[in-house]
Amino acid sequence: MKTIQSLRGMNDTLHNVADKFEYIINTATEIAKNYGYTQIETPLLEETALFKRSVGESSDIVGKEMYQFLDKGGNDVCLRPEGTAGVVRSFIQNKFDKRGGNEKFFYHGAMFRYERPQKGRLRLFHQFGCESFGENSVFEDVSVILLIRDIFDALEIGYKLKINSLGCSECMPTYRENLVSYLEEKREELCEDCHRRIETNPIRTLDCKNEKCQTELSDSPKIVQNLCESCDSDFEILKRVLKESGMDFEVDTNLVRGLDYYNKTAFEFVSDEIGSQSAIAGGGRYDKLVEFLGGKDTPAVGFALGIERILDLVKVPEAENSGYYFGTLDSEYLQKLYLLGTQKRGKERVHIELKKRSLNKHLQNADKMGYRFCAILGSDEVANSTIWIKDLKLSSEDTISQDAF
Ligand code: HAM
């Protein structure tokens, strides 16, 4: 019979990969908590309308990549393609917007995008993200960027930071008009996708992956040269404070992000060690999203990092051997061994080997499995109500009474 495989772009998480996941999440969690964030978990399934309204109908994510279906009640739902929209929905639903609005949340979990799978691009992937609500100061944008820096530094991952400003509702419309006039002049030279983007979301033409478009658009009007006074001043502060904080960056005027909710600061962390899918984290400010989804006007800024993208770059520090491995030389003593081992469970790492083995084999196993103590029951120990224990770290051994043990 043909065996059933996991779906394309969806992987199992096993053994050392699971260890890395845990290490990345624990490291990021500790740092996010130090920055004042508390955990939030939102459902994997949400109303499709949530993502249409936030990520945007013109985005590739909503237009092409959603796992969308009608549930048995006829509701139009989809698996979340990203985490921000659900957190904002929850923020409004739980009335945080009406209660001052200053909240900081971190989350991690599975996201689903029906993309064309390749190295670093999956259909099921995991993000760790943070969303900070209620602070419109650009210093909060710096804090979010430094939080990511602290996470990548703790994980010993190299990166480059790219930043841009996407302006606001005051400066963006004029810029967009200028850009559209420019694009119309170049229309013949641009790809099919860009033709569509001129209509739906012209700034997305700036990060078109088509090389010809890139060359054609190299002298396009730049957003950062068309910012209003407030956006311009914030962008200057952002650059200055990042610099003063020792954070290297590059201004990338074509960085526009693939989600429609951003304004002002937008950024991406990239790695040159993981191939073409080089973005390891991305985010920015989204001051209008809470209001747009029906809440009270609340500024916000956040990011998400892609856990699978950094797996190959992370080395989990070797854990010291710990806990007890229990083994017996004769199956007859298994029950006694089992009960002794069970008493230690819950307090320590414990493995009870249910197959009888030679002493040497048990010692080898205990070491291979990362246990510090190898506790053995043989005929002498059973006769004397003792247990033989070898400390594999200190290479010392001892026979002690079972009661004392
Ligand atoms: P995003 O840039 O779409 O932003 O995703 C963030 C990160 O998730 C990317 O930088 C990448 O590392 C990872 N990622 C995205 N797609 C895939 C994929 N198909 N396979 C593997 N990894 C992937 C967001 O999702 C925003 N919600 C971030 C944000 C939070 N902005 C403000 N707050």
Side-chain angles (χ1 to χ4, degrees):
M1 198 168 41
K2 198 166 165 272
T3 57
I4 297 170
Q5 307 288 310
S6 69
L7 297 172
R8 210 157 98 80
M10 299 200 177
N11 298 329
D12 301 314
T13 307
L14 299 166
H15 296 309
N16 68 331
V17 175
D19 287 347
K20 281 193 188 181
F21 259 80
E22 191 185 0
Y23 176 62
I24 292 167
I25 288 166
N26 288 347
T27 305
T29 297
E30 194 185 328
I31 293 168
K33 282 185 175 173
N34 288 345
Y35 273 77
Y37 287 76
T38 57
Q39 187 162 6
I40 186 169
E41 262 188 63
T42 63
L44 266 68
L45 202 60
E46 298 265 11
E47 261 188 56
T48 302
L50 173 66
F51 301 106
K52 284 194 173 166
R53 274 162 70 183
S54 53
V55 177
E57 302 237 21
S58 70
S59 67
D60 285 350
I61 295 178
V62 169
K64 307 183 196 163
E65 299 169 0
M66 294 224 286
Y67 280 88
Q68 181 184 356
F69 57 96
L70 294 181
D71 72 7
K72 291 193 198 306
N75 304 300
D76 187 352
V77 295
C78 76
L79 287 170
R80 62 179 183 196
E82 59 103 52
T84 310
V87 175
V88 174
R89 185 218 21 86
S90 172
F91 176 82
I92 300 167
Q93 188 172 337
N94 289 290
K95 302 194 170 41
F96 288 113
D97 55 334
K98 308 258 164 38
R99 288 186 259 131
N102 271 88
E103 293 293 330
K104 288 178 159 67
F105 297 109
F106 74 86
Y107 54 89
H108 50 83
M111 309 291 158
F112 302 83
R113 294 184 193 174
Y114 196 83
E115 298 200 69
R116 203 159 40 80
Q118 65 174 81
K119 186 174 165 6
R121 190 161 68 194
L122 296 160
R123 290 181 172 171
L124 160 62
F125 61 98
H126 296 77
Q127 288 184 341
F128 180 95
C130 285
E131 313 294 351
S132 166
F133 293 95
E135 192 48 81
N136 64 11
S137 163
V138 66
F139 284 91
E140 190 64 6
D141 309 16
V142 178
S143 293
V144 166
I145 290 173
L146 296 184
L147 194 172
I148 308 170
R149 173 187 72 174
D150 288 354
I151 293 174
F152 288 151
D153 285 354
L155 295 172
E156 298 184 25
I157 292 177
Y159 51 78
K160 275 198 201 110
L161 168 65
K162 294 181 176 182
I163 59 167
N164 195 15
S165 173
L166 300 178
C168 67
S169 51
E170 199 176 305
C171 46
M172 195 38 147
T174 326
Y175 169 75
R176 193 182 291 125
E177 267 173 37
N178 292 341
L179 181 65
V180 170
S181 319
Y182 171 89
L183 294 170
E184 287 296 358
E185 274 172 34
K186 300 255 174 184
R187 188 181 265 274
E188 294 302 299
E189 325 303 328
L190 303 177
C191 73
E192 280 293 308
D193 276 342
C194 283
H195 288 177
R196 187 175 42 82
R197 289 176 187 131
I198 297 176
E199 261 60 75
T200 56
N201 193 356
I203 63 163
R204 282 309 309 273
T205 54
L206 298 177
D207 75 344
C208 179
K209 300 292 172 279
N210 186 312
E211 265 179 42
K212 182 150 185 284
C213 295
Q214 279 299 327
T215 321
E216 286 299 329
L217 298 179
S218 57
D219 62 348
S220 63
K222 306 287 180 248
I223 317 177
V224 289
Q225 284 155 7
N226 290 276
L227 297 173
C228 63
E229 218 178 293
S230 144
C231 290
D232 189 48
S233 145
D234 276 354
F235 196 51
E236 289 306 314
I237 297 174
L238 176 77
K239 289 188 285 184
R240 205 162 55 232
V241 181
L242 283 175
K243 211 164 159 200
E244 292 289 322
S245 309
M247 179 79 212
D248 288 338
F249 62 86
E250 174 194 314
V251 175
D252 179 351
T253 52
N254 290 340
L255 176 72
V256 294
R257 310 275 300 129
L259 308 96
D260 289 354
Y261 47 64
Y262 294 109
N263 64 304
K264 291 198 167 181
T265 306
F267 58 81
E268 258 172 30
F269 282 71
V270 294
S271 161
D272 53 16
E273 291 172 58
I274 55 172
S276 65
Q277 298 303 307
S278 59
I280 52 176
R285 187 160 272 288
Y286 53 95
D287 292 331
K288 290 292 155 214
L289 187 56
V290 175
E291 193 181 16
F292 197 63
L293 290 178
K296 190 174 157 205
D297 189 11
T298 309
V301 54
F303 79 93
L305 66 82
I307 297 182
E308 282 83 354
R309 293 260 168 102
I310 58 172
L311 280 178
D312 287 347
L313 305 175
V314 171
K315 259 215 189 103
V316 180
E318 283 216 359
E320 282 222 349
N321 282 9
S322 64
Y324 283 83
Y325 171 106
F326 287 84
T328 180
L329 308 179
D330 191 328
S331 309
E332 214 186 300
Y333 314 132
L334 182 60
Q335 182 173 322
K336 185 77 207 156
L337 179 89
Y338 184 80
L339 294 174
L340 278 167
T342 302
Q343 282 172 20
K344 282 262 185 248
R345 271 203 171 132
K347 302 171 207 116
E348 308 244 17
R349 258 185 95 216
V350 166
H351 172 77
I352 306 173
E353 178 53 56
L354 303 178
K355 294 186 188 72
K356 76 164 187 174
R357 302 252 186 255
S358 69
L359 178 61
N360 265 346
K361 191 73 196 156
H362 278 312
L363 287 166
Q364 272 171 17
N365 275 356
D367 193 38
K368 218 161 70 193
M369 292 165 75
Y371 288 92
R372 174 164 175 185
F373 298 100
C374 182
I376 299 292
L377 219 52
S379 54
D380 285 355
E381 288 78 20
V382 171
N384 302 324
S385 292
T386 56
I387 186 159
W388 180 86
I389 297 170
K390 174 143 186 169
D391 181 337
L392 298 173
K393 185 174 173 196
L394 303 179
S395 281
S396 59
E397 51 184 82
D398 205 356
T399 302
I400 58 173
S401 84
Q402 290 173 9
D403 283 348
F405 183 71

